Each structure stands twice: as C-alpha cells, then as structure tokens.
C-alpha cells in the first residue's frame, strides 16, 4: 500500500532546496500530489504533499529528507494524511474559485482581519495570499500604493450580500475591495474602454468651457446633477451646450493644453499597450479633446460628441447623435465585435451615472472615483488609488512592470 505524507518546511531560504529534496524523493519513486512555496523577507515556507508508493519506504524517505533539511538548518514537520482526508480535500478544489483584491495606500492588519472575516463568514476558504504591489517604502512621505490578492474557494449563499459587506467595510476603512470570479476571462481581457472626463482627465471639459464663457456656475450645477443620476444625460447635455453658444473656437486649444491626466493614467495606458490591449475613449464629452488624448496617450479608438462650430464660434449644438449612456454601451459592443473579443474580455471604466450601461456590459466594469450612486450600482470600484490600480484587478504584479514595458518597446 502507498502512504500519503504532508511535509512542511520553514526557515531561511536557500537556492537549490526544491531540487535537493525532490531529488531525494525521486530515488523512492515518490509521487507529488501538491506543492507550494512562499518567501517573505528571505524566510521560506515550503509545503509538499506526496504519495510514497511502497509504505515500507516511508521511514526511509522521511529519514533522508529530515537529515538533509536539518543539515540545511531548516525546520520540518511530517504529517500522515488518510485517503479520505485527501479525497475530501481534492473534492474541495472543484468548488468555485474567486479573487478578492484589497487596494489601499497602506495595508494594515485590520484590513486583512476584516476582509478575511467576511470571506470566512460567507463560507469561503483562503487558498493563497499574494502581494501584487512592490514592497513599500518606510518613508511616510512617499506616495504609497499597496495591493494584496486573496484566492478563495467556496460556494457563498448570497453573492450580493457578500459584495455589500465588502463595499461597507471598504467605506469604513478607506480602502477598495474587488471581488470577482477567477474565470478564464480574468487574465484574458483584450479591450479597455474609458470615459474621458473625470476618468482619464481630472476635469469635466464642459465645465471648463463654461467658465471661459462666463456661465461656469450654471453649467457645473447641471453637470453635477447629471453625474449623480438626478437628470437625464441627453437633456442636461443639450441644456448645458446651449449656454456655450458664441464661445470662441480658440478657447478649445488653451483648455486642451492645460488638461491634467488622472493619477496613473499614463502608466496604465503604456502598460496596456505593451501587453497588447486595445483601448478606446467612449465619452459624453467632445471629440476635440478626445483626439488630443488619443495623440498624447496612443488610444486606439475614440467616440465622443462633435462640437458644432460656425465661423470660429461654438453654436451651442453638436453634430450627429449624442453619445449618452446607452450609446456608450452600444459602442462597447460594436468595438468588441469588430476586434473579435467577447464582452467578457472587455474592461470598462467610468465615474458617472451615464457610464453604468457600459460598465454593466463589460466583463470587468470599474467605477473610478465615482459618485456614491455609481459605486453602489457598479460591481467594482476604485477610489483610493490611481487609474493604474486597474492592473491589479487583472492580476498584474509590480515586479512584471519593468519586463513588460521593455518588451513593449522592443
């Protein structure tokens, strides 16, 4: 009969350890059932579940492995596993797997405790915890970014309640928590579509135009109500546009020149391009500014409203169909079909109520620094970090960055 043994090793990491120990096991034709390793600050935790085909050899395997590990000044623990225990464990591996992503400027022990308490309460067991961000500086003045990813398994009774629980503690702790199924699509997204105003840039362009026209307060008030979902976007858009009638065309260039990109936007787009993603701007703003960003960032597609100009003056109207929330959703599906990707492979990012239709169509819809109504309605949100935090939601590691960008430039 065979014998199952779980071997746990800990101590200071040493190169060649895996090769040495599995080499010893190889002499006894040992079968590897599971293996895992983690290194934190040069301290190793290494586990391996093995099947020794001839139980008579079990004492020899344990002796040889133990002697070698002790010689390497490593601690080791052996635990016999019954066949029923193994079968129960193996069956559990077939349960649904989810990814919980914790994003913050700094990750505190309380954050981990609260997140893990919710997963446990909903019947989810943590398989693995991985830090995706780089190791933090000890200088409190540095602009910190922290991300930890939990891989969890189980069958929660109520996914919506689980998401609500995460949203609640995210607000209490000033962190972001994303919960998504670890499906084949998660690491196979191919298209990212962005709202423009207050998403890729830190401004609402129509408000900037209104200030130049001397109607800033009026337009800003309408914009805010529209973004909150209190007003129909198309009607409010037409109302705001009318107030811009007579504005000089030259103003557009000066506004474009002073537009400030959102934190992390350049890094995100540069990385996405290096990874082979296609990108698009789907905006209820204006094509003049979308084209400016397209040239600056290398965006593949833009769809926005064409501001009508006659004799160098803004007419207070747009040409063609208004790009409202429904049109954004339609454009997302049209671009995806043209590029040959499924909606599940699309990431959509926006901040306003008019972005919700496209966020709901995408496999990963992210409300970015959004209004409360949008955060509550979207399945994922980011408020504490910059736009490039989206990379963590697809499993991107900070250590991948240098290699990815170098490959993209070659």
């Amino acid at each position: 009969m065979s014998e199952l043994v779980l071997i746990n090793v800990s101590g200071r990491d040493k190169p060649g350890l895996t090769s040495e120990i599995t080499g010893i096991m190889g002499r006894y034709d040992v079968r590897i059932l599971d293996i895992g390793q983690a290194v934190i600050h040069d301290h190793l935790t290494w586990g391996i579940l093995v099947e020794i085909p001839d139980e008579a050899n079990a004492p020899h395997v344990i002796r040889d492995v133990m002697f070698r590990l002790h010689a390497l000044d490593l601690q080791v623990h052996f635990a016999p596993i019954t066949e029923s225990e193994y079968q129960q464990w193996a069956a559990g591996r077939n349960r649904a797997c989810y990814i919980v992503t914790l994003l913050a400027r700094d990750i505190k022990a309380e954050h981990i405790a609260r997140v893990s308490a919710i997963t446990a309460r909903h019947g989810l067991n943590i398989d693995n915890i991985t830090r995706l961000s780089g190791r933090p500086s000890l200088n409190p003045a540095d602009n910190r970014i922290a991300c930890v990813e939990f891989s969890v398994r189980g069958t929660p009774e109520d996914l919506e309640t689980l998401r609500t629980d995460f949203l609640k503690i995210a607000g209490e702790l000033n962190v972001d928590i994303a919960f998504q199924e670890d499906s084949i699509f998660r690491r196979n997204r191919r298209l990212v579509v962005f709202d423009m105003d207050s998403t890729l840039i830190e401004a609402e362009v129509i408000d900037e135009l209104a200030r130049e026209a001397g109607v800033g307060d009026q337009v800003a008030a309408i914009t805010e109500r529209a973004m909150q979902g209190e007003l129909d976007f198309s009607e409010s858009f037409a109302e705001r546009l009318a107030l811009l009638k007579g504005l000089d065309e030259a103003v557009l260039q000066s506004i474009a020149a002073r537009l400030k990109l959102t934190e992390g936007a350049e890094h995100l787009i540069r990385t996405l391009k290096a990874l082979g993603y296609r990108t698009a701007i789907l905006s209820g703003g204006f094509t003049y500014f979308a084209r400016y960003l397209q040239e600056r960032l290398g965006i593949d597609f833009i769809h926005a409203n064409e501001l009508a100009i006659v004799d160098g003056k803004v007419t207070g109207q747009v040409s063609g169909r208004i790009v409202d929330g429904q049109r954004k959703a339609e454009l997302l599906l049209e671009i995806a079909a043209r590029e040959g990707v499924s909606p599940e492979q699309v990431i959509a990012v926006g901040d306003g109520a008019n972005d919700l239709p496209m966020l709901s169509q995408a496999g990963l819809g992210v409300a970015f620094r959004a209004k409360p109504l949008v955060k509550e309605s979207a399945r994922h949100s980011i408020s504490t970090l910059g736009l490039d935090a989206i990379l963590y939601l697809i499993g991107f590691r900070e250590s991948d960055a240098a290699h990815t960008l170098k490959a993209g430039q070659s």
Side-chain angles (χ1 to χ4, degrees):
M1 281 185 64
S2 64
E3 185 163 343
L4 307 181
V5 181
L6 175 63
I7 305 171
N8 287 306
V9 179
S10 64
R12 184 165 289 278
D13 189 26
K14 294 175 172 61
L17 170 66
T18 301
S19 175
E20 279 204 57
I21 302 307
T22 53
I24 293 171
M25 296 176 181
R27 297 200 292 266
Y28 298 95
D29 196 29
V30 168
R31 181 185 177 199
I32 307 300
L33 300 177
D34 196 18
I35 187 169
Q37 175 178 310
V39 178
I40 299 178
H41 198 62
D42 291 333
H43 189 89
L44 167 78
T45 301
W46 188 77
I48 185 168
L49 178 60
V50 302
E51 180 185 26
I52 302 170
D54 184 351
E55 64 179 340
N57 283 331
H60 304 295
V61 174
I62 292 171
R63 179 200 62 202
D64 292 355
V65 168
M66 182 176 64
F67 283 173
R68 184 57 191 146
L69 289 171
H70 283 175
L72 293 170
D73 197 26
L74 293 166
Q75 290 73 52
V76 60
H77 178 261
F78 300 91
I81 304 295
T82 67
E83 183 176 340
S84 63
E85 287 173 332
Y86 175 75
Q87 296 294 357
Q88 183 179 5
W89 171 83
R93 308 302 293 177
N94 294 325
R95 293 182 295 172
C97 184
Y98 299 93
I99 297 295
V100 181
T101 310
L102 172 61
L103 300 156
R105 292 295 176 182
D106 264 321
I107 290 180
K108 307 289 182 66
E110 182 185 7
H111 302 161
I112 302 292
R114 298 283 296 276
V115 168
S116 56
I118 288 177
T119 59
R121 189 162 68 244
H122 286 271
L124 296 169
N125 187 60
I126 298 173
D127 278 349
N128 190 45
I129 303 176
T130 305
R131 186 182 181 97
L132 299 184
S133 56
R135 298 308 185 262
S137 166
L138 297 179
N139 183 354
D142 289 347
N143 184 26
R144 294 177 175 178
I145 297 175
C147 175
V148 169
E149 179 184 275
F150 302 76
S151 175
V152 300
R153 286 185 186 274
T155 309
E157 291 184 4
D158 189 335
L159 284 174
E160 288 309 310
T161 301
L162 174 60
R163 292 181 192 278
T164 299
D165 288 348
F166 278 140
L167 184 63
K168 182 175 182 293
I169 68 163
E172 292 173 0
L173 300 174
N174 192 29
V175 300
D176 293 315
I177 303 169
F179 178 80
Q180 53 183 316
E181 186 176 356
D182 194 14
S183 69
I184 191 173
F185 295 110
R186 178 174 169 259
R187 292 175 180 266
N188 193 32
R189 316 287 187 191
R190 303 313 310 151
L191 170 67
V192 188
V193 302
F194 298 93
D195 174 46
M196 180 172 68
D197 297 41
S198 297
T199 300
L200 277 176
I201 55 174
E202 293 185 351
E204 291 289 332
V205 169
I206 197 166
D207 291 349
E208 297 295 315
L209 291 167
R211 276 191 280 273
E212 296 288 345
V215 291
D217 291 343
Q218 294 168 259
V219 169
I222 300 170
T223 300
E224 180 62 20
R225 292 184 65 195
M227 297 304 286
Q228 295 282 5
E230 298 175 9
L231 297 175
D232 175 78
F233 178 82
S234 295
E235 291 179 8
S236 68
F237 185 64
E239 186 179 345
R240 287 175 287 170
L241 266 179
L243 293 170
L244 301 180
K245 185 176 180 180
L247 183 65
D248 195 286
E249 180 183 12
V251 170
L252 275 64
Q253 184 175 357
S254 65
I255 291 175
R258 67 173 186 254
L259 289 177
K260 183 179 180 181
L261 292 174
T262 299
E263 175 192 359
E266 285 185 288
H267 177 232
L268 172 62
I269 301 298
R270 187 167 61 246
T271 304
L272 290 173
K273 287 169 64 68
L275 292 170
Y277 282 69
R278 303 286 272 175
T279 56
I281 291 174
L282 306 183
S283 173
F286 304 109
T287 54
Y288 182 94
F289 303 98
R291 289 192 192 100
Y292 171 81
L293 291 177
Q294 182 179 37
E295 294 176 7
R296 182 172 176 181
L297 296 173
I299 302 289
D300 295 300
F301 314 106
I302 61 166
H303 293 275
N305 297 300
E306 191 68 52
L307 195 59
I309 297 173
V310 176
D311 298 328
K313 300 291 183 181
V314 173
T315 67
Q317 296 179 324
V318 292
S319 304
R321 180 179 172 183
I322 291 177
V323 180
D324 57 8
Q326 184 58 41
R327 183 58 181 150
K328 286 186 179 188
E330 293 171 2
L331 287 165
L332 180 153
L333 295 175
E334 289 173 12
I335 297 171
R338 192 162 62 242
E339 291 297 304
V341 302
S342 75
E344 279 289 337
Q345 293 176 282
V346 180
I347 301 172
V349 191
D351 72 300
N354 66 317
D355 294 312
L356 285 172
M358 78 171 183
L359 298 188
S360 67
Q361 290 289 345
L364 179 62
V366 181
F368 179 73
R369 297 182 181 176
K371 310 299 183 289
L373 170 69
V374 182
K375 286 182 67 172
E376 292 169 10
S377 301
R379 299 189 69 186
H380 308 282
S381 65
I382 294 174
S383 299
T384 60
L385 301 183
L387 207 55
D388 51 351
I390 289 166
L391 293 169
Y392 295 131
L393 302 187
I394 59 174
F396 189 82
R397 298 170 186 258
E398 193 65 32
S399 57
D400 297 334
H403 175 76
T404 299
L405 295 177
K406 182 179 179 180
Q409 294 167 358
S410 61

